Amino acid sequence: MRARILGSAAGGGLPQWNCGCDNCHAVRRDDPRVRARTQDSLAVFRGEHAVVCNASPDIRDQLAAAPRLHPRGVRGTPISAIVLTNGDLDHVLGLFSLRESQPLAIYATAAVRRGLVEHNAMCATLSRFPGQVVWRTLELEREVELADPAGAPTGISVRAFPLLGKLPVHLAKLSPSPEDNVGLSLRADGRELVYAPGCALPPPGLGDGADALLFDGTFWTSDELIRLGGTARAEDMAHIPISGPEGSLALLGRCTATRRIYTHINNTNPMLALGTAQRREVVAAGWEIAEDGMELLS
Amino acid sequence: MRARILGSAAGGGLPQWNCGCDNCHAVRRDDPRVRARTQDSLAVFRGEHAVVCNASPDIRDQLAAAPRLHPRGVRGTPISAIVLTNGDLDHVLGLFSLRESQPLAIYATAAVRRGLVEHNAMCATLSRFPGQVVWRTLELEREVELADPAGAPTGISVRAFPLLGKLPVHLAKLSPSPEDNVGLSLRADGRELVYAPGCALPPPGLGDGADALLFDGTFWTSDELIRLGGTARAEDMAHIPISGPEGSLALLGRCTATRRIYTHINNTNPMLALGTAQRREVVAAGWEIAEDGMELLS
């Protein structure tokens, strides 16, 4: 099993279209201390099969930049399955960029699927022909082997587990469910990768024993957006901040994952810039900071 | 008035994620004969105001690549208004990438607006706060001056006119209307730019007297996709092919626009590659082929 971080930014990416924060400004003036980042997504490979976790709005660029995800033949894709961790727009908009005469197998909890399919006419564009999308339901805490649209097994298994989160703005009228936001344990060939890009509170033991934990690195502090004139705290958006006594760096201090990596990083997060105290603190604690195109495992 | 072609490709872009046609393959191997292209969009500038026509899924990249569209200050945008020519996903998905605490003024016909807003829960993400989106109705053949969300005039006027088109797949159950697909005549400072990125049949006199006509260059031939294993003819998708006695090159042969430019070009179109007979034919007829970032007028 190999993995590639297709995108490591939170919703909006880096730079974000309407943001002039220090990080966005640095990327626009080509400051080498801050790298551009596309929105959160992960690809996992085994043999001929590729599985993409979350379909970000940047998926066209992300696939173009990854030779192993290029089509084989005149029409086709090595992507055997897509797994969704929630219904956030930065995790599902990319599905509409995968419209074409191409069957897709999409794995999601029943709650995520309902929110996406039953409330958006655009999903009809993914039902152009019978079998275009094969939806497969992720049940919480049940490990399943991922299969391609025709049912061929990939050798990669997934177990979804509940993570404290929040319904996306466009589905805020629906009843909350523990299936609204999940983490994924991906396994193949005796390796395990845990992917938890959005999380309000890490459950005890998260990532323990895994080869790698990819965890929500959205915000450094709770009031990061408020300092820039916004109104929402990190907690209001169901993202635990990294810093502070109640932050993820403290709460996951005893996690025994071989590698611990922050991803889904908001453009405003000061740890994105080389040379900041925040970046030094994360690295000193044994964490890595994801970058687009970063490869994991082998 | 100045204009910049933000994207010059049809839906899917170049390369298209699941396509291994000659052009997509050439871009992936960095062949200098074929340039990568993002999906169809146009920006028009006058003074401090920018107007974006169509919001493509690639809008984040397109804005990042255009310094005049970068935010001013910590949060903000020089984009005063957005104008939609139809409800195709490659023209509207980008709206969801403009979600943030940022007011938007969107101009569309009543039919396009209904299809987008009434049938897609995701649009709730563009109603986070009162006044986030100010929808303004484009009436056919009526010239209006575009204004920003607060009502400040831009000095750029637009007239929408009906173009024979087709409802997008996701809205195919709705009743067709002449408002489903429009062309735009954009005017400022005595200059005129006509933008018609999707068109099944050009109306008589289209673009005559304009400083520039940007016209639907999706397909070279009617059976372009069928030759690659597809099932739809250009006409089935409401795009007039360029070549042949009934093609746009022949039908627009007497158009008196100062510049005539093909845009919204599908990845399979052979005129995209330098050195092809098709490209020579277009250029010999006095047409240009749009590229991302191309600037027009002054």
Side-chain angles (χ1 to χ4, degrees), chain B residues 78-96:
Chain B
I79 301 173
S80 297
I82 297 164
V83 189
L84 303 177
T85 64
N86 61 25
D88 284 356
L89 284 179
D90 57 319
H91 285 158
V92 305
L93 272 181
L95 294 176
F96 302 105

Side-chain angles (χ1 to χ4, degrees), chain B residues 114-132:
Chain B
R114 270 197 307 273
L116 184 62
V117 176
E118 294 177 11
H119 300 278
N120 287 288
M122 290 184 202
C123 281
T125 204
L126 298 175
S127 307
R128 292 188 192 193
F129 57 90
Q132 181 176 9

Side-chain angles (χ1 to χ4, degrees), chain A residues 186-212:
Chain A
L186 295 148
R187 286 178 188 270
D189 306 322
R191 314 294 294 267
E192 184 190 13
L193 177 64
V194 176
Y195 177 54
C199 183
L201 188 67
L206 179 72
D208 279 352
D211 293 277

